[in-house]
Amino acid sequence: MKEKVKILLLGSGGRECAIAWKISQSPRLEKLFVAPGNAAKFGTNVALDPMNFEAVKEFVDANEIDMIVVGPENPLVAGIYDYFRDHSVKVIGPSKDAAQLEGSKEFAKEFMFRHHIPTARFMSVTAETIEEGYHFLESLKAPYVLKADGLAAGKGVIILDSLADAKDTLSDMLEGMFGGASATVVIEEFLSGIECSVFVVTDSEDYRLLPVAKDYKRVGEGDTGLNTGGMGSVSPVPFADEAFMEKVVKNIVEPTLKGLKEENLEYRGFIFLGLINVEGDPMVIEYNCRMGDPETEVVMPRLKSDIIDLFEGMADQTLSIKNVEFDERAAVAVMLTSAGYPGDYEKGKVITGLDKIGECLAFHAGTKENERGEVLTNGGRVIALVAYGNDIADAAQKAKAAAAIVDFEGKYLRNDIANDLLR
Ligand code: AMP
Ligand code: GLY
């Protein structure tokens, strides 16, 4: 690959902003475009829909792009990697078939069973086999976990306390609660434990681990209320210690990569392992075929190595000669959200204080700029304030201080991010 590269980054959230920030620091960057991007200024925004592959191709050709980095899952599951297979541009991501690890929960569960990767017991059902589904539910203990097979914008998992509710919800899901995404439903045994996110980069032959992170999904303090896209994140994760990570590598990472290889599933990108620590043993809750959001907002700051080198390793299958170095400091992200999120919320509120946060990082999620150069809210998750610290407590205190300074009408945040890791 060339020494200087032109990159097109697809997406517009906090994850993409953190990746753009990291890319922008590389001495190997010639030019970074972000499509469609937000009010952050780490690259040049382009008004392109990441799902319109033809338009992406026109842009790639006109601007001699060397590499497409894909933030969200939808273009990957829709096959953007395969679309550009015969093109000179390199796509960082899995092939369409490999992206089924995220695109189909049934595929992911069957893959894990084929390769003896620890995960919850399951049964996958359709309208024709609903009676078998009811029997399987009866054989489980409460609570009951139901998952729409297909992509459902992060809302496709429902956990129910009573058997009667679980049966009703199973029936509703199969009847189209999530459209075609829930025509098949995966019923799972409930696993109890604390979760963490492990990120792997692979070129289909080799792999490297990125820093481990934990996210905070519920809207309310103390992990209460509705699920969101994520209210904050922390890295490193104290319980993901050496002994735990040894099991992660041996029982999960290596069998996953071996499985991908055996099944000829081409993968040149990020694998996100959603894990749960069940009494010291890691089990897989889910695979994603992309980085996590807001985990990326703490993982990128803790990655010391050049990210373009790492992308090159994935694309050219030279990961075996790439080093991944971590920053020893901890990082904490606190997400500012719009009042009402994850329900209805207003947009267009002026954001103030971004120039007063000192050394903290501000990763834009849902923002846009108006003609006067003001930064406005433009989504439910608005902006992540990220701080480094000597330890998690120090980073959390600094991120929360920055989160108190940045302001807009209806600002909401969780003030307890990282607290559970400090006890
Ligand atoms: P997912 O979209 O698959 O990440 O699921 C959303 C959330 O539901 C996860 O982050 C877990 O907190 C929870 N969850 C999913 N599957 C299970 C399970 N088998 N046992 C317990 N919790 C689960
Ligand atoms: N933070 C979880 C996710 O990105 O799916």
Side-chain angles (χ1 to χ4, degrees):
M1 189 164 288
K2 293 190 279 192
E3 184 51 32
K4 291 276 188 182
V5 295
K6 289 190 201 158
I7 297 181
L8 172 63
L9 171 63
L10 301 181
S12 63
R15 164 183 50 212
E16 288 76 23
C17 185
I19 295 173
W21 168 81
K22 183 69 185 162
I23 291 174
S24 72
Q25 291 165 32
S26 172
R28 296 190 55 191
L29 182 66
E30 182 175 338
K31 177 87 188 161
L32 172 63
F33 295 98
V34 189
N38 54 33
K41 293 263 164 56
F42 300 114
T44 303
N45 285 351
V46 199
L48 271 180
D49 173 3
M51 290 298 279
N52 185 345
F53 299 168
E54 233 178 272
V56 172
K57 182 170 179 298
E58 267 173 39
F59 184 85
V60 162
D61 290 338
N63 293 278
E64 300 176 316
I65 299 296
D66 300 296
M67 193 183 273
I68 303 174
V69 178
V70 187
E73 62 276 16
N74 302 68
L76 295 165
V77 172
I80 194 167
Y81 180 95
D82 309 64
Y83 185 88
F84 286 100
R85 184 173 268 126
D86 298 322
H87 196 285
S88 61
V89 74
K90 311 272 189 186
V91 176
I92 302 301
S95 60
K96 184 176 184 179
D97 288 345
Q100 288 302 299
L101 282 183
E102 175 162 4
S104 165
K105 304 261 186 208
E106 180 183 39
F107 176 90
K109 295 297 284 191
E110 287 175 351
F111 177 90
M112 287 185 263
F113 272 77
R114 280 198 292 280
H115 300 288
H116 310 289
I117 295 164
T119 187
R121 284 195 301 133
F122 80 106
M123 175 184 272
S124 113
V125 299
T126 60
E128 285 74 57
T129 56
I130 191 167
E131 288 299 327
E132 288 168 49
Y134 290 156
H135 286 139
F136 185 64
L137 281 170
E138 285 159 10
S139 77
L140 298 173
K141 280 195 228 111
Y144 304 91
V145 182
L146 302 176
K147 300 186 173 182
D149 174 58
L151 293 184
K155 297 187 173 66
V157 176
I158 304 182
I159 299 179
L160 299 131
D161 287 324
S162 89
L163 181 61
D165 288 347
K167 287 182 175 175
D168 286 346
T169 304
L170 174 61
S171 160
D172 291 346
M173 288 175 85
L174 292 172
E175 278 167 19
M177 191 170 172
F178 298 101
S182 62
T184 297
V185 172
V186 170
I187 306 171
E188 275 187 30
E189 172 187 35
F190 182 85
L191 299 175
S192 185
I194 185 162
E195 292 174 56
C196 66
S197 306
V198 169
F199 300 98
V200 182
V201 296
T202 183
D203 61 7
S204 283
E205 290 294 330
D206 274 284
Y207 73 89
R208 293 285 182 267
L209 295 182
L210 301 182
V212 180
K214 178 180 189 294
D215 78 339
Y216 294 78
K217 287 197 177 73
R218 302 291 202 93
V219 72
E221 295 187 358
D223 290 329
T224 53
L226 294 174
N227 258 324
T228 70
M231 299 296 297
S233 56
V234 178
S235 180
V237 177
F239 69 80
D241 57 13
E242 214 170 300
F244 183 80
M245 290 309 293
E246 231 170 74
K247 291 182 193 170
V248 170
V249 166
K250 183 165 160 280
N251 302 342
I252 296 169
V253 175
E254 291 184 343
T256 297
L257 292 165
K258 190 162 160 275
L260 288 170
K261 228 167 133 175
E262 278 172 17
E263 299 188 21
N264 287 317
L265 297 168
E266 210 172 308
Y267 211 120
R268 310 274 170 94
F270 297 100
I271 308 176
F272 168 166
L273 305 167
L275 304 182
I276 187 161
N277 179 352
V278 182
E279 289 164 10
D281 285 314
M283 296 181 76
V284 179
I285 289 280
E286 63 166 348
Y287 284 112
N288 294 308
C289 61
R290 49 165 174 93
M291 286 296 291
D293 196 351
E295 290 95 326
T296 308
E297 288 91 313
V298 291
V299 171
M300 289 299 139
R302 294 198 62 233
L303 183 64
K304 259 193 178 168
S305 318
D306 185 90
I307 196 158
I308 295 183
D309 273 345
L310 214 51
F311 288 145
E312 180 183 63
M314 296 181 233
D316 294 347
Q317 291 198 299
T318 52
L319 260 187
S320 63
I321 56 164
K322 304 291 182 188
N323 256 336
V324 176
E325 279 184 69
F326 299 179
D327 192 313
E328 289 305 317
R329 290 175 294 174
V332 171
V334 174
M335 187 66 77
L336 304 185
T337 63
S338 300
Y341 174 78
D344 293 337
Y345 54 82
E346 291 178 16
K347 296 181 186 178
K349 311 294 181 193
V350 177
I351 303 171
T352 58
L354 286 169
D355 53 344
K356 297 187 176 65
I357 56 170
E359 286 174 5
C360 286
L361 299 162
F363 290 140
H364 293 232
T367 65
K368 70 171 185 192
E369 202 178 55
N370 66 12
E371 316 75 51
R372 291 197 295 275
E374 291 169 317
V375 180
L376 307 180
T377 67
N378 193 37
R381 289 194 290 174
V382 174
I383 207 158
L385 280 319
V386 182
Y388 289 106
N390 297 325
D391 54 24
I392 292 173
D394 184 32
Q397 185 263 323
K398 288 174 175 150
K400 287 170 194 177
I405 292 169
V406 176
D407 203 17
F408 53 85
E409 192 190 318
K411 174 179 85 166
Y412 173 79
L413 62 103
R414 269 182 68 171
N415 241 314
D416 67 340
I417 301 301
N419 287 3
D420 59 326
L421 300 177
L422 301 176
R423 271 176 227 127

